[in-house]
């Protein structure tokens, strides 16, 4: 009877377990190193957002012991629970894990009737875990890319899956439009599956896991909105692991580039100093020149702006019959002549040119002061002036 009773309970457990998997899901097998920590996400149906969630330990659900509940929420040094009703995921974080071959845990949701649930197997080892990542929580920027390195020692097919979504086994497009590229490398006996997600969108925020064979490792990716201050550098979750076949080529190339930059920096700095000194000297000389020009007195040789005012009057005294009649002040006559400055003569020539052989006649009429009404024949003087050769 006891055996028959246990068989009935096992059948009931199996049937309720199947129904629980449909409403609650998580990874199935994870490995952690001694003293390490891990966060397990549990996805549940949206209709259970306001229900109590809990974490239970035990091989069989009917006999498992509750470790942590969301209501009432208890405290523990090694375990914590958190429920995100927006994403319908509650998480369990376990710290300072101690070696154990295998422990079974359950993600469960209380409801009327049998609770919804699903289980996972957790292995804690003293050596290298079968599958692990350096960081479970990584951050990316909208429009850029993020890389996750999944190290493993076991064998099997590689996969990259989104919780509640689909899985990819090769380079292709995942849910929400992100492009996923999978690459496997091996260096120093260490095997790594490199997962690169490009063209990130805010909708790509969520829980993922990398899988190799029957092992899985959860990874949460947060995609932040791009800001001006952020650079376009690709964000990675771990230190880049070089391929052994490269032989340190990348590192040597970087060293050569750095040396070249240092060599170029010195002459460029000197050139900048020379240019700056030249500019300062030029400005000082120009300032001195301007100051000297301002201190000079105005040019007195500048001609009058009105060319009509540039007329010179001269008085010429003509002595008639000085040799025969003697000096007689009253017989002196006044001669008036107009002297035209050279620049005006040139301007007049340009406007009304004369031939080179032109002759200019001028008449000088002497005024007899003693006989104002009489004009003597000898009072008229004709003179011929030869033109100035141009």
């Amino acid at each position: 009877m006891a055996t028959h009773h246990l068989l009935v309970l096992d059948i009931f457990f199996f049937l309720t377990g199947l129904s629980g998997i449909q409403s609650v899901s998580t990874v199935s097998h994870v490995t952690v190193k001694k003293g390490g920590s891990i966060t397990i996400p549990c996805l549940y149906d949206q209709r259970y957002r306001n229900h109590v969630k809990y974490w239970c330990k035990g091989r069989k659900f009917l006999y498992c012991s509750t470790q942590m509940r969301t209501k009432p929420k208890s405290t523990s040094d090694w375990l914590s629970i958190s429920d995100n009703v927006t994403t319908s995921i509650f998480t369990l974080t376990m710290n300072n894990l101690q070696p154990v071959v295998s422990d079974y845990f359950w993600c469960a949701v209380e409801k009327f009737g049998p609770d919804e649930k699903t289980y996972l197997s957790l292995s804690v080892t003293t050596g290298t875990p079968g599958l692990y990542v350096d960081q479970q929580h990584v951050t990316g920027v909208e429009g850029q890319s993020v890389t996750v390195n999944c190290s493993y020692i076991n064998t099997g097919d590689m996969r990259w899956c989104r919780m509640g979504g689909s899985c990819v086994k090769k380079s292709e497009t995942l849910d929400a439009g992100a492009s996923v590229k999978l690459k496997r490398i091996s260096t120093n006996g260490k095997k790594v599956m490199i997962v690169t997600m490009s063209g990130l969108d805010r909708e790509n925020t969520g829980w993922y896991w990398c899988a190799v064979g029957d092992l899985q490792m959860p990874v949460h990716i947060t995609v932040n909105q791009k800001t001006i201050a952020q650079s376009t550098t690709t964000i990675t979750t771990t230190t880049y692991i070089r391929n052994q076949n490269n032989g340190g080529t990348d590192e040597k190339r970087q060293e050569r580039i750095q040396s070249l930059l240092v060599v170029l920096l010195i002459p460029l700095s000197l050139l900048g100093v020379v240019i700056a000194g030249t500019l300062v000297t030029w400005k000082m000389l120009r300032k001195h020149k301007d100051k000297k020009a301002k201190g000079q007195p105005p040019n007195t040789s500048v001609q009058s702006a009105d060319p009509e005012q540039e007329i010179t009057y001269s008085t010429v005294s003509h002595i008639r019959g000085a040799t025969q009649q003697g000096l007689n002040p009253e017989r002196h006559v006044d001669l008036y002549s107009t002297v035209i400055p050279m620049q005006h003569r040139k301007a007049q020539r340009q406007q009304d040119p004369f031939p080179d052989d032109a002759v200019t006649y001028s008449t000088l009429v002497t005024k007899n002061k003693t006989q104002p009404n009489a004009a003597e024949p000898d009072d008229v003087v004709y003179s011929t002036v030869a033109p100035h050769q141009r």
Side-chain angles (χ1 to χ4, degrees):
M1 287 294 297
T3 303
H4 178 72
H5 180 68
L6 291 175
L7 180 61
V8 172
L9 289 176
D10 288 341
I11 294 174
F12 176 77
F13 159 74
F14 177 75
L15 293 176
T16 55
L18 287 178
S19 64
I21 292 176
Q22 295 177 357
S23 298
V24 181
S25 62
T26 187
V27 292
S28 59
H29 189 190
V30 294
T31 58
V32 186
K33 188 175 182 179
K34 173 186 176 181
S37 62
I38 189 171
T39 299
I40 304 296
C42 301
L43 177 66
Y44 57 86
D45 194 278
Q46 290 185 355
R47 63 179 182 268
Y48 300 131
R49 289 181 300 177
N50 298 324
H51 289 230
V52 175
K53 290 86 179 178
Y54 60 98
W55 182 248
C56 194
K57 179 181 178 181
R59 181 175 291 272
K60 296 183 181 297
F61 181 72
L62 292 178
Y63 310 118
C64 72
S65 61
T66 302
Q67 304 293 304
M68 186 72 66
R69 295 168 57 90
T70 57
K71 294 179 183 180
K73 190 173 182 180
S74 57
T75 58
S76 174
D77 294 336
W78 73 280
L79 181 62
S80 62
I81 189 171
S82 177
D83 185 16
N84 189 336
V85 296
T86 302
T87 60
S88 299
I89 295 177
F90 72 96
T91 56
L92 290 305
T93 301
M94 294 176 286
N95 301 309
N96 193 25
L97 293 172
Q98 298 304 311
V100 63
V101 176
S102 181
D103 271 341
Y104 289 88
F105 294 90
W106 298 82
C107 298
V109 178
E110 287 186 352
K111 69 180 186 65
F112 181 77
D115 293 342
E116 299 290 348
K117 55 195 173 295
T118 187
Y119 75 96
L120 64 93
S121 174
L122 172 64
S123 300
V124 182
T125 65
T126 56
T128 302
L131 175 65
Y132 65 94
V133 293
D134 292 342
Q135 297 180 12
Q136 272 194 279
H137 298 268
V138 297
T139 304
V141 179
E142 198 173 16
Q144 299 182 12
S145 62
V146 66
T147 301
V148 178
N149 293 336
C150 302
S151 303
Y152 63 95
I153 59 175
N154 65 322
T155 58
D157 295 334
M158 298 186 306
R159 302 182 305 281
W160 175 255
C161 307
R162 180 167 187 173
M163 179 164 286
S166 59
C167 298
V168 295
K169 296 182 179 180
K170 57 182 180 179
S171 300
E172 56 185 280
T173 301
L174 196 64
D175 297 340
S179 176
V180 180
K181 181 179 180 181
L182 303 182
K183 181 180 180 181
R184 181 188 305 214
I185 66 172
S186 177
T187 176
N188 296 328
K190 186 177 183 179
K191 296 180 291 185
V192 181
M193 179 180 73
I194 302 177
V195 181
T196 303
M197 294 181 61
S198 304
L200 294 175
D201 190 84
R202 298 289 296 277
E203 296 181 0
N204 295 126
T205 297
W207 279 97
Y208 299 80
W209 70 77
C210 52
V212 178
D214 62 341
L215 296 178
Q216 301 91 36
M217 177 53 61
V219 177
H220 187 270
I221 295 178
T222 302
V223 181
N224 295 324
Q225 185 176 5
K226 187 176 182 179
T227 60
I228 298 177
Q230 289 171 326
S231 63
T232 57
T233 305
T234 301
I235 301 175
T236 58
T237 59
T238 60
T239 304
Y240 176 75
I241 302 176
R242 294 186 179 85
N243 192 332
Q244 186 179 10
N245 297 329
N246 290 340
T249 303
D250 295 338
E251 184 176 358
K252 293 180 180 179
R253 185 182 296 110
Q254 292 180 357
E255 292 178 354
R256 288 197 297 268
I257 293 175
Q258 293 176 355
S259 301
L260 180 61
L261 290 176
V262 172
V263 172
L264 293 176
L265 184 61
I266 296 175
L268 289 176
S269 301
L270 294 176
L271 179 61
V273 173
V274 172
I275 293 175
T278 303
L279 291 175
V280 172
T281 304
W282 178 77
K283 288 184 177 180
M284 292 179 64
L285 291 175
R286 185 167 182 177
K287 184 177 180 181
H288 177 72
K289 184 177 180 181
D290 294 342
K291 184 177 181 180
K292 184 177 180 181
K294 291 181 180 179
Q296 291 180 351
N299 190 355
T300 56
S301 63
V302 178
Q303 298 178 358
S304 173
D306 188 0
E308 298 297 335
Q309 302 298 327
E310 296 181 358
I311 300 176
T312 303
Y313 295 93
S314 63
T315 302
V316 179
S317 297
H318 176 69
I319 303 175
R320 295 186 56 204
T323 57
Q324 298 175 359
Q325 301 177 3
L327 297 176
N328 188 354
E330 297 180 354
R331 297 291 295 171
H332 289 183
V333 296
D334 295 332
L335 301 180
Y336 298 90
S337 63
T338 300
V339 180
I340 302 176
M342 182 62 68
Q343 60 268 26
H344 298 295
R345 295 174 61 186
K346 291 182 178 180
Q348 184 176 4
R349 288 175 181 175
Q350 293 177 359
Q351 296 177 0
D352 188 12
F354 291 92
D356 293 340
D357 57 348
V359 178
T360 302
Y361 294 94
S362 61
T363 302
L364 303 179
V365 179
T366 61
K367 183 177 180 182
N368 193 335
K369 295 182 179 180
T370 59
Q371 298 179 1
N373 297 324
E376 296 179 342
D378 56 348
D379 289 338
V380 180
V381 180
Y382 296 93
S383 63
T384 301
V385 181
H388 178 72
Q389 297 295 329
R390 284 177 283 176

